[in-house]
Amino acid sequence: MAEHGPGGFAEWVVPAVVGREAAVTRLMALDGRGELASAHVRLTASALDVSERTVWSWLSVARREGRLSARTPARAGVSGDVRARLAVWGGNVAAVHRELVAEATEAGVADSVPSLRALQRAVRQDLSVGERAGLKGGEAARRRYDVYGKRPATHRNACWEGDHKRIPVRVDLEGSAVCPWVTWFIDVASKVIVGVAVTPHQPARDAVLAALRTGISRQDPYGPFGGLPGVVRVDRGKEFLCRTVERALGAFAVPVHDLPAYKPYRKGTVEALNDAVEAMFLVSLPGYTHRPDPSVRTDRIRWRTSCRIRSLSRPC
């Protein structure tokens, strides 16, 4: 461990800022009594890990300005007026700066406006990322940076979340290429997929009932996870809210919570499952549809090339 310099244990006892102020105070006292010598300056510079020239400069500033420590740099802040102008200009700091300069020049106090870089730095420091995004893109853009409250920890089967997901993988179904759908339920507490059903078409209530059967039943070949949930959360899917599913769950006194639309964070466990299964598994399958198709791109290039050749071959 270094004894002196930044990070040394000497700085733990006497920080650099406090060390300068205390040292200059002591040296100025010696100077006032006529006892200041170069040996004192040399000893102070060695202790604070600075040059002797720096210590003499500190003493010169103290004699001239009476200041014992470093000057705190002035920083432009974002006032209420600047915030209002940013809202009008959609977060455009340069436009706000031009407006401020024009008004200050007309009033004859052009030097009172900070530079564009200083104003941009102040906006970055005083406004959060969400606030800056909201100024540019509105309330919907700001909400992307909100921190949502975390639900309290619960026990197993206290709550399930259900959802449908279209699997972006082409599979062969009796000679036809289709993208199947999966309907599943996940236990919020243990993060275990308790029930799942796969259909070659957009799922209906039969898929929901099949997934519930695999989740509720714990006999072979199902289990050991599963059982009766305390509540099931869904997001306004008509397949989950139909009368058949309501009666099936109502027979076991299991309520279904219909969450508001376009609020995926209200059932974040199953939404995270949807994203994770695609990022960690589906992308590795050969029929994955969310990657570029080289054959289609090649055919398109050939078609464009043939069109150019035909256009060039036409007589003038």
Side-chain angles (χ1 to χ4, degrees), residues 37-56:
S38 299
H40 298 117
V41 175
R42 190 178 305 112
L43 181 61
T44 303
S46 176
L48 297 180
D49 199 20
V50 296
S51 64
E52 295 183 34
R53 183 176 180 179
T54 299
V55 178
W56 284 115

Side-chain angles (χ1 to χ4, degrees), residues 10 26 52 97 106 108 153 178 211 246 262 265 270 286-287:
R26 170 62 176 168
E52 295 183 34
H97 183 262
E106 185 178 356
V178 298
E246 182 182 356
Y262 306 107
Y265 59 88
V270 71

Side-chain angles (χ1 to χ4, degrees), residues 114-161:
S115 64
L116 175 59
R117 292 294 181 87
L119 185 60
Q120 290 174 338
R121 185 167 53 250
V123 169
R124 288 195 302 269
Q125 293 176 351
D126 291 356
L127 301 184
S128 65
V129 179
E131 289 175 323
R132 299 199 299 269
L135 290 172
K136 295 180 180 180
E139 183 65 17
R142 185 195 65 81
R143 288 180 179 176
R144 298 194 189 103
Y145 297 90
D146 281 346
V147 178
Y148 300 109
K150 186 177 180 181
R151 296 181 185 273
T154 56
H155 56 85
R156 188 178 67 177
N157 290 336
C159 177
W160 290 2
E161 292 180 354

Side-chain angles (χ1 to χ4, degrees), residues 49-70:
D49 199 20
V50 296
S51 64
E52 295 183 34
R53 183 176 180 179
T54 299
V55 178
W56 284 115
S57 176
W58 292 349
L59 291 173
S60 177
V61 170
R63 295 190 186 104
R64 185 175 62 255
E65 303 177 9
R67 179 165 49 86
L68 304 179
S69 59

Side-chain angles (χ1 to χ4, degrees), residues 13-274:
V13 180
V14 182
V17 178
V18 179
R20 171 181 174 175
E21 185 175 354
V24 173
T25 302
R26 170 62 176 168
L27 293 177
M28 288 298 295
L30 293 174
D31 186 41
R33 296 197 300 266
E35 301 176 2
L36 180 63
S38 299
H40 298 117
V41 175
R42 190 178 305 112
L43 181 61
T44 303
S46 176
L48 297 180
D49 199 20
V50 296
S51 64
E52 295 183 34
R53 183 176 180 179
T54 299
V55 178
W56 284 115
S57 176
W58 292 349
L59 291 173
S60 177
V61 170
R63 295 190 186 104
R64 185 175 62 255
E65 303 177 9
R67 179 165 49 86
L68 304 179
S69 59
R71 181 186 290 110
T72 302
R75 186 181 71 83
V78 179
S79 61
D81 177 60
V82 174
R83 285 177 179 267
R85 294 174 187 267
L86 286 171
V88 172
W89 285 101
N92 191 336
V93 183
V96 173
H97 183 262
R98 288 195 298 267
E99 188 176 51
L100 292 174
V101 170
E103 293 179 0
T105 303
E106 185 178 356
V109 288
D111 296 338
S112 62
V113 179
S115 64
L116 175 59
R117 292 294 181 87
L119 185 60
Q120 290 174 338
R121 185 167 53 250
V123 169
R124 288 195 302 269
Q125 293 176 351
D126 291 356
L127 301 184
S128 65
V129 179
E131 289 175 323
R132 299 199 299 269
L135 290 172
K136 295 180 180 180
E139 183 65 17
R142 185 195 65 81
R143 288 180 179 176
R144 298 194 189 103
Y145 297 90
D146 281 346
V147 178
Y148 300 109
K150 186 177 180 181
R151 296 181 185 273
T154 56
H155 56 85
R156 188 178 67 177
N157 290 336
C159 177
W160 290 2
E161 292 180 354
D163 199 8
H164 303 302
K165 178 174 176 58
R166 181 179 180 272
I167 304 299
V169 177
R170 292 190 183 93
V171 298
D172 183 20
L173 178 65
E174 298 180 352
S176 300
V178 298
C179 290
W181 286 73
V182 61
T183 302
W184 46 23
F185 292 90
I186 184 172
D187 179 29
V188 175
S190 61
K191 307 299 188 293
V192 173
I193 302 174
V194 291
V196 61
V198 181
T199 56
H201 50 77
Q202 190 167 357
R205 59 185 180 181
D206 56 345
V208 178
L209 292 174
L212 284 174
R213 168 62 189 274
T214 61
I216 295 175
S217 178
R218 299 181 60 186
Q219 300 176 355
D220 292 335
Y222 312 115
F225 289 92
L228 285 176
V231 65
V232 176
R233 288 201 291 257
V234 296
D235 59 349
R236 304 184 64 84
K238 61 181 181 181
E239 301 84 8
F240 293 99
L241 301 176
C242 65
R243 179 61 179 169
T244 306
V245 175
E246 182 182 356
R247 290 180 59 184
L249 291 174
F252 297 103
V254 177
V256 178
H257 284 184
D258 181 17
L259 301 177
Y262 306 107
K263 300 229 176 0
Y265 59 88
R266 298 290 295 271
K267 56 180 185 64
T269 306
V270 71
E271 293 293 343
L273 171 64
N274 292 337

